[in-house]
Every structure is written in structure tokens, then in C-alpha cells.
């Protein structure tokens, strides 16, 4: 029988109504899950670890990625698969971070959440959690995934795109492994080759000065120019369309170039959901000329967490840049 390690970090699934709205309630999810599994044919040995402080995932900070990754690493040899019950708001960031931090991962790590608490009759939590446990039991899955609303998505390609619907997540630039909304059901993939090197976990430095900014017309350029005067270490720039920026905003471009020369790694990602940064327009050259790395079709979430990972892994700026340009975990096409 498979042995599955389940972590509950917080999030809607185990929340109950409180004086100010829904909030996590210690013990509630473990109790509900036991009832769900009592009469379910999916059989496994499960260990349930509820974190002492349950958070709404909008409170998530980079240090939380270390705690989850460390927990998985501590239990890696003892279990066949892992389920991380997580709020939906920042699940795509955590999935992306874990995909980098868990090196040579040969087992499934499945993130699961819900739009509606198990407390409500209309909750989507039961299906999502059962799907998560099912995928965590599969020998042929290795890596970090999110399952949600009948989809199984590669974690570092996902984005939360809907605040309300049960199909809250998509992976816009990479095919879903399962998408029951279009009749694509689970087919066990060929087992991935075992990693040549042993599993280990790379912690991240939570205090790195890494930020993300979105280009929008107007006063934002003035504010970004001021922001760039800070000693930043990493910046994900959400540019227009295929990676375009304002050719006319000389102060902003000069500040960007100065930040780059002072050692800030800048990744250019598109604010569009679909497609990629490429070099179609003259306007697309200005950010590159200022030192930005072309992010291709990487998501904002993957670009941001990749910066945390690489800047924590090595302090050599040349190696950092080389690794940032490389496809490490199939996060970019
Ligand atoms: N605000 C909640 C959270 O991310 C939303 C959810 O769980 O779906 O924790």
C-alpha cells in the first residue's frame, strides 16, 4: 500500500466562518478528511501534518517555501508521494518554488486547494483532495503539480486565473496532463527516468531583494525609476505583449540599465497570459538593451521563484545569469 504524506498549510479548504469571514480552523480538515476517506475505495497509509499556524495563503512569505520543502525533504525517504493542501491565492508561487528547490525529485508532490470550504455543501474540496491523493499514489508521476477542478497541471507552468470558478488554475503555455473539462482523463505517462543524482533540497534566502513590477502607461514609469534606485537583486518586469517597453521613457530605461550594471538580474516576462517574449518589435529591443533577460513563456510566478532559487544557490553573478537563462525544470519552452 502507498504511503502518502499530507501537509496542511492553511487555505479555504479547511476554513470555517469566523467573525470577519472564513478563517482556518485547527483540526477541522483532518476530521473532514478522515470522514471522506472512511468510505472511499482509495486505500493508502496517510500521515497528516497540520502546521501549527494555519495561514490564508495571501499571507505566504518566501520563508514558508523553506518550511514546506524542508518538511518534504525530512520525510522524502519514508513516503511514496506528497500532498500539500494550500490556499489558492499563492499556490502557483509555492508550486513553482518547490519545483526548483526539490532537486532530483523522483516522487509526486501535488498541491491542492479549494474555492469553497469543506464546511459548505457546495465545496469543491472533496474532489480536489481525492484527486490529489490519487495522483500522489502514482508511480509514473515525478515532480511538482497542482490538481484543481479536474485538471492536473505542471506546477511551475500554472497560474490562478479565476477568483470564483472551480477551474481556477490553467497552465497557459503548457499542456495539462489531465483536463476533465474537455474529456482529457488520467492516462499514466511512461515512468520518467530516475534522476542520476540523489534527491536534496536547496533552501532559499527569504530576505533577497527580489521584486516584480508591471509596466502600465503613466506615472508608474516615474515610480519605477525611483524604485530602481534601491539596491535590488532581482526584478521580474511584466512587459507589454511580446516583451515590449516604452522607447520614449529615457529615465526609466536608464535606471533599468543602471540597476542591471549594479548586479540586479532582470527577467522580462509578458503580461499576456498566452504567448511569449520574443523580438518582434523595435520596442522589444529596449528592455533587452537595458540588460533584461528574455523570459520566453515563463510565468511571473516561475520567474520570481527561479530568481530566489538561483540567487540562493550561487553567489557568482556570471553563474547566476547562465542559470537564469537555462531551462531548469521545464519551466520555459
Ligand atoms: N484566500 C484563500 C487562500 O489563498 C483562498 C483559497 O484558499 O482559495 O488561502
Amino acid at each position: 500500500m502507498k504511503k502518502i504524506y499530507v501537509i496542511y498549510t492553511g487555505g479555504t479548504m479547511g476554513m470555517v466562518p469566523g467573525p470577519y469571514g472564513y478563517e482556518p480552523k485547527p483540526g477541522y480538515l483532518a476530521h473532514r478528511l478522515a470522514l471522506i476517506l472512511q468510505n472511499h475505495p482509495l486505500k493508502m497509509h496517510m500521515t497528516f501534518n497540520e502546521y501549527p499556524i494555519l495561514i490564508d495563503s495571501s499571507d505566504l512569505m518566501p520563508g514558508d517555501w523553506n518550511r514546506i520543502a524542508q518538511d518534504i525533504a525530512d520525510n522524502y525517504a519514508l513516503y511514496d508521494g506528497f500532498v500539500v493542501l494550500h490556499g489558492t491565492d499563492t499556490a502557483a508561487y509555492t508550486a513553482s518554488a518547490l519545483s526548483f528547490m526539490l532537486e532530483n525529485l523522483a516522487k509526486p508532490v501535488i498541491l491542492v486547494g479549494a474555492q469553497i470550504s469543506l464546511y459548505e455543501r457546495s465545496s469543491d474540496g472533496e474532489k480536489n483532495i481525492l484527486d490529489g491523493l490519487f495522483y500522489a499514489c502514482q508511480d509514473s508521476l515525478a515532480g511538482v503539480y497542482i490538481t484543481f477542478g479536474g485538471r492536473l497541471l505542471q506546477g511551475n507552468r500554472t497560474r490562478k486565473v479565476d477568483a470564483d470558478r472551480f477551474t481556477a488554475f490553467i497552465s497557459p503555455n503548457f499542456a495539462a496532463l489531465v483536463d476533465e473539462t474537455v474529456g482529457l482523463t488520467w492516462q499514466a505517462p511512461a515512468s520518467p527516468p530516475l534522476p542520476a543524482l540523489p534527491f536534496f533540497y536547496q533552501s532559499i534566502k527569504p530576505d533577497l531583494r527580489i521584486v516584480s513590477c508591471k509596466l502600465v502607461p503613466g506615472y508608474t514609469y516615474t515610480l519605477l525609476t525611483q524604485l530602481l534606485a534601491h539596491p535590488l537583486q532581482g526584478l521580474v518586469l511584466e512587459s507589454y505583449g511580446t516583451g515590449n517597453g516604452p522607447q520614449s521613457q529615457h529615465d526609466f530605461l536608464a535606471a533599468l540599465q543602471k540597476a542591471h550594471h549594479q548586479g540586479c538580474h532582470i527577467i522580462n516576462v509578458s503580461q499576456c497570459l498566452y504567448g511569449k517574449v520574443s523580438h518582434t518589435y523595435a520596442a522589444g529591443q529596449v528592455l533587452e538593451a537595458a540588460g533584461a533577460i528574455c523570459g520566453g513563456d515563463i510565468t511571473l510566478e516561475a520567474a520570481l521563484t527561479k530568481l530566489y532559487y538561483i540567487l540562493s544557490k550561487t553567489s557568482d553573478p556570471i553563474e547566476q545569469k547562465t542559470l537564469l537563462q537555462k531551462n531548469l525544470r521545464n519551466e520555459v519552452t
Side-chain angles (χ1 to χ4, degrees), residues 10-13 15 55-58 86-90 114-115 160:
T12 296
M13 178 151 350
M15 291 189 184
I55 58 166
D56 184 301
S57 80
S58 50
H86 197 289
T88 56
D89 287 345
T90 54
Q115 289 283 40
K160 182 176 179 182

Side-chain angles (χ1 to χ4, degrees), residues 27 34 178 188 236 238 300:
V178 171
V236 183
E238 288 188 88
L300 161 67

Side-chain angles (χ1 to χ4, degrees), residues 1-328:
M1 207 181 280
K2 294 285 181 194
K3 292 176 76 182
I4 307 301
Y5 188 75
V6 180
I7 296 167
Y8 179 42
T9 63
T12 296
M13 178 151 350
M15 291 189 184
V16 299
Y20 306 106
Y22 278 90
E23 55 191 22
K25 180 178 177 193
Y28 181 69
L29 185 44
H31 161 72
R32 289 300 305 265
L33 184 55
L35 292 178
I36 290 169
L37 289 175
Q38 230 170 39
N39 302 315
H40 197 272
L42 184 65
K43 295 292 172 226
M44 83 217 111
H45 289 298
M46 185 183 78
T47 299
F48 190 89
N49 182 12
E50 176 173 288
Y51 283 175
I53 297 176
L54 297 171
I55 58 166
D56 184 301
S57 80
S58 50
D59 264 322
L60 181 102
M61 291 297 276
D64 293 310
W65 300 327
N66 280 338
R67 187 162 55 141
I68 299 169
Q70 174 81 65
D71 195 359
I72 292 171
D74 288 347
N75 289 286
Y76 189 75
L78 304 173
Y79 293 89
D80 300 299
F82 300 83
V83 173
V84 181
L85 303 170
H86 197 289
T88 56
D89 287 345
T90 54
Y93 291 91
T94 298
S96 298
L98 293 178
S99 79
F100 295 117
M101 295 163 75
L102 303 174
E103 304 230 19
N104 309 314
L105 181 61
K107 298 181 181 185
V109 174
I110 316 290
L111 273 84
V112 178
Q115 289 283 40
I116 298 182
S117 159
L118 284 169
Y119 183 84
E120 302 291 344
R121 193 184 55 81
S122 56
S123 173
D124 52 337
E126 179 166 336
K127 172 170 172 51
N128 290 349
I129 201 168
L130 286 170
D131 282 352
L133 291 168
F134 171 80
Y135 295 131
C137 287
Q138 302 307 313
D139 291 322
S140 52
L141 267 189
V144 181
Y145 297 88
I146 292 184
T147 187
F148 208 91
R151 294 185 176 132
L152 178 64
L153 308 167
Q154 187 181 299
N156 57 21
R157 295 286 196 146
T158 55
R159 307 210 71 184
K160 182 176 179 182
V161 293
D162 203 311
D164 298 318
R165 290 187 178 83
F166 287 169
T167 46
F169 289 88
I170 62 169
S171 58
N173 292 308
F174 193 71
L177 278 85
V178 171
D179 189 349
E180 293 167 3
T181 68
V182 293
L184 178 64
T185 53
W186 166 252
Q187 309 279 346
S191 294
L194 279 179
L197 297 168
F199 168 82
F200 72 98
Y201 129 73
Q202 169 66 54
S203 61
I204 55 105
K205 294 178 184 160
D207 298 331
L208 287 167
R209 295 183 303 278
I210 295 172
V211 299
S212 116
C213 307
K214 183 172 180 169
L215 300 185
V216 293
Y219 187 64
T220 295
Y221 294 123
T222 308
L223 277 186
L224 289 185
T225 305
Q226 290 166 16
L227 172 85
L228 286 161
H230 287 262
L232 299 177
Q233 293 166 290
L235 166 67
V236 183
L237 200 58
E238 288 188 88
S239 61
Y240 303 114
T242 53
N244 305 320
Q247 292 167 275
S248 59
Q249 298 300 310
H250 303 293
D251 289 349
F252 164 68
L253 292 171
L256 204 59
Q257 191 156 40
K258 190 168 172 204
H260 165 66
H261 285 141
Q262 288 173 344
C264 174
H265 294 288
I266 303 159
I267 305 185
N268 183 9
V269 304
S270 175
Q271 17 184 293
C272 297
L273 198 48
Y274 294 91
K276 61 182 184 301
V277 170
S278 57
H279 303 299
T280 316
Y281 299 97
Q285 309 300 326
V286 290
L287 300 179
E288 202 185 320
I293 295 168
C294 171
D297 64 358
I298 198 168
T299 62
L300 161 67
E301 293 86 340
L304 186 98
T305 55
K306 191 174 180 176
L307 278 166
Y308 271 101
Y309 165 71
I310 302 291
L311 271 56
S312 303
K313 196 173 171 64
T314 170
S315 50
D316 174 357
I318 312 252
E319 199 186 348
Q320 287 174 342
K321 185 162 184 190
T322 309
L323 288 170
L324 285 167
Q325 287 171 316
K326 249 177 134 174
N327 180 16
L328 302 176

